[in-house]
Amino acid sequence: MKIRILVTGGTFDKKYDELTGRLFFKGTHVPEMLRRGRCRLDVAVETVMMVDSLEMDDAGRAAIVDRVRASPETAIVITHGTDTMVETARALADAGLSGKTIVLTGAMVPYAFGSSDGKFNLGSALSFVQVLPPGVYVAMNGQRFPWDAVRKNTVTGCFEGV
Amino acid sequence: MKIRILVTGGTFDKKYDELTGRLFFKGTHVPEMLRRGRCRLDVAVETVMMVDSLEMDDAGRAAIVDRVRASPETAIVITHGTDTMVETARALADAGLSGKTIVLTGAMVPYAFGSSDGKFNLGSALSFVQVLPPGVYVAMNGQRFPWDAVRKNTVTGCFEGV
Amino acid sequence: MKIRILVTGGTFDKKYDELTGRLFFKGTHVPEMLRRGRCRLDVAVETVMMVDSLEMDDAGRAAIVDRVRASPETAIVITHGTDTMVETARALADAGLSGKTIVLTGAMVPYAFGSSDGKFNLGSALSFVQVLPPGVYVAMNGQRFPWDAVRKNTVTGCFEGV
Amino acid sequence: MKIRILVTGGTFDKKYDELTGRLFFKGTHVPEMLRRGRCRLDVAVETVMMVDSLEMDDAGRAAIVDRVRASPETAIVITHGTDTMVETARALADAGLSGKTIVLTGAMVPYAFGSSDGKFNLGSALSFVQVLPPGVYVAMNGQRFPWDAVRKNTVTGCFEGV
């Protein structure tokens, strides 16, 4: 089974800029994370954009939908900021991308900072995408949720079913 | 869904003893890994033993089978050394533990050492165990294999289907 | 020889707040860093404040001077943000704290983020403070500089003699 | 001031071989540690050998003495296994290398494993070597000891003055 990972940024891929003290994006860490996980799946990694999901807008979501539609793979993982992950999931569901299993995931702590949930979530999402039937899902906190039955609890920072 | 993680040791949980320069076992790191992964699943962690899988024998495997049989949960992840993980999977399949989804996983690099595949594999195994039908599986390298169609390639250190 | 470490914050001790995505201060990491370094010196760790050095002002500097004056130890390391470390060094030199060896240090990357210069700089500062004659110094980038002959190069983020 | 770091191995530079589960040497991590420490000293790094210090013998010590004698620098740090660091220090003192400040250091936990004392010790040794008068010293646990007044306490794993 071939899998495509579409990278859109989010806390997942943030880095610390020591000169300014701010967080920023450079290249994605996903290939390194796959190496560290000794992942032997047939995976294509494609960077669509690198944005904080608070900056994600309709145009950004449309671009993600386009890339999913254009993917030859039917199993797709999307790394995304957690703040608006559910909104992007909804946009994907509305786009009617039938026959594809799409799993969105992210991280609460940048992979680059150590103590990150990044590798755990990536392993989780890559596993769910191989087994779940076509549809759009969010995979966070070890769980998967259908796109229309999940929200991010902004107090705890965790995702929960609704 | 309640999940039980049975810990048996393996490279997954090894630590470095700075006084002797050797690797040894102390307590399991699984609870810490679940915290780092911000895992919100209902998980019970039970340490059955802490051994290198080269030291795993029939008595050890019988003990693991007993603990699986005694678990109220039907979704069970077992952390295990990679060298004899397939043998233990076979023992579990032979034990006729019907109605349970059992996923074995481990790590090539101790979680304690950084650059480990531990969190990736744990996230992967916990996800597979939630969606696979009853049976015995090995989850390594991002993939899952039925117990009777997998082996560890000792040259590459990776698991492959046979 | 007894040494006192006065903690004032800076990037050295920043943490990542996963709920807001911002950096903040909680307790100092210095005791943990001393344990990781297996430091066997007789060290007292005292938190004076926890601020980014861009927020350091005359009142803050006066407080640091007071704590240096009040220290029974004659060997003092001060952890401090790098942006205004030289200004604080000047304030200490102007305070006429004779008989004390005072070494300021910090970090360009938070200790909590991995890949940090924190432990390297702490080991460096603790070594310089044991052997340098009384006076005020900055210890960064493996070097020590007299307080009146150093500046931070804001382009490279490194300290250099002037 | 130019400094030369002579690398001889020891726990400092050990790596974990995931295929065999053993520790081994590959290239030294010292250049990476200097980069992480943002070290701006003028440092030459030379690998003399990569051995566990339990395997250090007279021939090995003679080789180290030769490299110190051949160094144009008068400030030399030697990374070395902790078990026989004091013996090598003695061999250097006996060699009559006048006019050189020689500081030996090492680590109790491999740098590659995280939670290492490596960077702390390297920062410490590089600082001591810039300030101490000619002679042979051991720098561990934040302290420096003259070569003839130190031993490793094998119970605690720490160095102490005698």
Side-chain angles (χ1 to χ4, degrees):
Chain A
M1 171 187 280
K2 286 174 176 266
I3 299 171
R4 180 163 294 254
I5 298 178
L6 296 177
V7 172
T8 73
T11 295
F12 199 87
D13 260 327
K14 284 183 180 166
K15 295 174 70 79
Y16 179 75
D17 180 352
E18 63 191 73
L19 293 179
T20 63
R22 297 210 189 87
L23 302 182
F24 74 115
F25 293 108
K26 215 173 169 186
T28 176
H29 300 89
V30 166
E32 176 184 328
M33 297 169 77
L34 295 173
R35 272 196 307 275
R36 292 270 172 98
R38 279 87 180 148
C39 181
R40 286 294 180 118
L41 295 168
D42 185 349
V43 177
V45 180
E46 175 187 334
T47 298
V48 183
M49 64 191 71
M50 291 287 257
V51 299
D52 183 300
S53 71
L54 289 175
E55 295 163 38
M56 183 68 71
D57 56 11
D58 291 344
R61 296 196 165 94
I64 296 171
V65 166
D66 282 349
R67 295 316 302 156
V68 172
R69 189 171 280 125
S71 298
E73 297 82 4
T74 58
I76 299 174
V77 167
I78 303 176
T79 65
H80 193 287
T82 58
D83 287 316
T84 65
M85 188 182 292
V86 175
E87 281 90 313
T88 299
R90 182 176 313 123
L92 287 159
D94 289 348
L97 300 152
S98 64
K100 303 213 177 200
T101 302
I102 303 164
V103 179
L104 290 87
T105 196
M108 291 302 289
V109 176
Y111 169 70
F113 288 7
S115 330
S116 170
D117 46 335
K119 275 193 282 186
F120 182 87
N121 292 342
L122 187 62
S124 173
L126 283 168
S127 299
F128 279 131
V129 82
Q130 295 177 65
V131 187
L132 292 173
V136 182
Y137 308 85
V138 163
M140 286 292 294
N141 309 111
Q143 304 171 271
R144 95 297 199 166
F145 306 93
W147 70 272
D148 59 349
V150 61
R151 73 173 173 206
K152 177 182 176 183
N153 180 319
T154 52
V155 173
T156 63
C158 292
F159 283 74
E160 49 198 32
V162 291
Chain B
M1 173 188 279
K2 285 173 179 268
I3 299 170
R4 180 163 295 255
I5 298 178
L6 296 177
V7 171
T8 73
T11 296
F12 199 87
D13 259 328
K14 284 183 179 166
K15 295 173 71 81
Y16 179 76
D17 179 352
E18 62 190 74
L19 293 179
T20 63
R22 295 209 191 87
L23 303 183
F24 75 115
F25 293 108
K26 218 175 170 184
T28 177
H29 300 89
V30 167
E32 176 185 328
M33 297 169 76
L34 294 174
R35 272 196 307 275
R36 292 273 171 96
R38 279 86 181 149
C39 182
R40 285 296 178 117
L41 296 167
D42 184 351
V43 177
V45 180
E46 175 186 335
T47 299
V48 184
M49 65 191 70
M50 290 288 257
V51 300
D52 183 300
S53 70
L54 290 174
E55 296 161 37
M56 183 70 71
D57 56 11
D58 290 346
R61 294 195 166 95
I64 295 171
V65 167
D66 282 351
R67 293 318 301 156
V68 172
R69 189 171 280 124
S71 299
E73 297 81 6
T74 57
I76 298 174
V77 167
I78 302 175
T79 65
H80 194 287
T82 57
D83 286 316
T84 66
M85 188 182 293
V86 175
E87 283 89 313
T88 298
R90 183 177 311 123
L92 287 159
D94 289 347
L97 302 152
S98 64
K100 301 211 178 201
T101 302
I102 303 164
V103 179
L104 290 86
T105 195
M108 291 302 290
V109 176
Y111 170 70
F113 288 8
S115 329
S116 169
D117 47 334
K119 276 193 281 188
F120 182 88
N121 293 342
L122 187 63
S124 173
L126 283 169
S127 299
F128 279 131
V129 83
Q130 294 176 68
V131 289
L132 290 173
V136 183
Y137 308 86
V138 163
M140 285 292 294
N141 308 108
Q143 303 169 274
R144 95 294 199 170
F145 306 93
W147 69 271
D148 58 350
V150 61
R151 73 172 173 208
K152 178 182 176 182
N153 180 320
T154 52
V155 174
T156 64
C158 293
F159 283 74
E160 47 198 33
V162 293
Chain C
M1 174 188 277
K2 286 172 177 268
I3 299 170
R4 181 164 293 257
I5 298 178
L6 296 177
V7 171
T8 73
T11 296
F12 198 86
D13 259 328
K14 284 182 180 168
K15 297 172 70 81
Y16 179 75
D17 180 352
E18 63 190 73
L19 293 179
T20 63
R22 295 208 191 87
L23 303 182
F24 74 115
F25 293 108
K26 215 173 170 186
T28 177
H29 301 87
V30 167
E32 175 185 329
M33 297 169 75
L34 294 173
R35 273 196 306 276
R36 293 271 171 97
R38 280 88 180 147
C39 182
R40 286 294 178 118
L41 295 168
D42 184 349
V43 177
V45 180
E46 175 187 335
T47 299
V48 184
M49 64 191 72
M50 290 288 257
V51 300
D52 183 300
S53 70
L54 290 174
E55 295 161 38
M56 183 71 69
D57 56 12
D58 290 344
R61 295 194 165 95
I64 296 171
V65 166
D66 282 349
R67 295 316 302 157
V68 171
R69 189 172 279 124
S71 300
E73 297 81 4
T74 57
I76 299 174
V77 166
I78 303 176
T79 65
H80 194 286
T82 57
D83 287 317
T84 66
M85 188 183 293
V86 175
E87 282 88 313
T88 299
R90 182 177 311 122
L92 286 159
D94 289 348
L97 301 151
S98 64
K100 302 210 176 202
T101 302
I102 303 164
V103 178
L104 289 86
T105 195
M108 291 302 289
V109 176
Y111 169 69
F113 289 7
S115 330
S116 169
D117 47 335
K119 275 192 284 189
F120 182 87
N121 293 341
L122 186 62
S124 173
L126 282 169
S127 299
F128 279 132
V129 83
Q130 294 176 66
V131 289
L132 290 173
V136 182
Y137 307 85
V138 164
M140 287 292 295
N141 308 108
Q143 303 170 273
R144 95 296 198 167
F145 306 93
W147 70 272
D148 58 349
V150 61
R151 73 173 172 205
K152 177 182 176 180
N153 180 321
T154 51
V155 173
T156 63
C158 293
F159 283 74
E160 48 198 32
V162 292
Chain D
M1 173 187 279
K2 286 172 177 267
I3 298 170
R4 180 162 294 256
I5 298 178
L6 296 176
V7 172
T8 73
T11 296
F12 198 87
D13 260 326
K14 284 183 179 167
K15 296 172 71 79
Y16 179 75
D17 180 351
E18 62 190 73
L19 293 179
T20 63
R22 295 209 191 87
L23 302 184
F24 74 115
F25 293 108
K26 217 175 169 185
T28 177
H29 300 90
V30 167
E32 176 185 329
M33 297 169 76
L34 294 174
R35 273 197 306 276
R36 292 271 170 97
R38 278 88 180 146
C39 183
R40 285 295 179 117
L41 295 168
D42 184 350
V43 177
V45 180
E46 175 186 335
T47 298
V48 183
M49 65 192 69
M50 291 287 256
V51 301
D52 182 300
S53 71
L54 290 175
E55 296 163 35
M56 185 68 72
D57 56 12
D58 290 344
R61 294 194 166 94
I64 296 172
V65 167
D66 282 350
R67 294 317 302 154
V68 172
R69 189 171 280 125
S71 299
E73 297 81 4
T74 57
I76 298 173
V77 166
I78 303 175
T79 65
H80 193 286
T82 57
D83 287 315
T84 65
M85 188 182 292
V86 175
E87 282 89 312
T88 299
R90 184 177 311 124
L92 287 159
D94 290 346
L97 301 151
S98 65
K100 301 210 178 203
T101 302
I102 303 163
V103 179
L104 290 87
T105 196
M108 292 301 289
V109 176
Y111 169 69
F113 290 6
S115 330
S116 169
D117 46 335
K119 274 192 284 187
F120 181 87
N121 292 342
L122 187 62
S124 172
L126 282 168
S127 299
F128 280 130
V129 84
Q130 294 175 65
V131 187
L132 291 173
V136 182
Y137 307 86
V138 163
M140 286 293 294
N141 307 108
Q143 302 170 273
R144 94 299 198 164
F145 306 92
W147 69 273
D148 58 350
V150 60
R151 73 173 173 206
K152 178 181 174 182
N153 180 320
T154 53
V155 173
T156 64
C158 293
F159 284 73
E160 49 198 33
V162 293

